[in-house]
Amino acid sequence: SDSIQLAVVYPPWWSAARSASAAASSGDIAAVGRWGVLVVRSRRPGLQARLRATGALWIMDGSAAAVCADQALGGAAHVL
């Protein structure tokens, strides 16, 4: 099945490590952006619900966000 990609923001008072850990528990981190935006990708259904359950405050379609990536991090991840 096709993967879904969502942009997600966790509470601003969380550390970057805590946000990344929460996102990674839901899917693969495809990109890391400014202002704490993470782009998460998964082939498993229910990504949005999993992200919400881990404490996400804001979730939106992440397809366009990855296009703005400008620097590779470890191959698959990018900085927005």
Side-chain angles (χ1 to χ4, degrees):
S1 74
D2 292 336
S3 64
I4 185 169
Q5 187 165 278
L6 299 173
V8 61
V9 174
Y10 285 93
W13 55 89
W14 284 19
S15 68
R18 181 176 178 187
S19 296
S21 178
S25 73
S26 299
D28 297 321
I29 297 176
V32 179
R34 295 179 189 101
W35 309 291
V37 176
L38 299 167
V39 178
V40 181
R41 181 182 304 142
S42 179
R43 291 188 180 277
R44 291 189 310 143
L47 178 58
Q48 184 169 348
R50 289 194 308 277
L51 290 167
R52 184 76 60 206
T54 64
L57 294 179
W58 177 82
I59 301 169
M60 70 170 287
D61 181 2
S63 302
V67 173
C68 301
D70 60 13
Q71 180 181 353
L73 291 177
H78 297 83
V79 175
L80 302 177

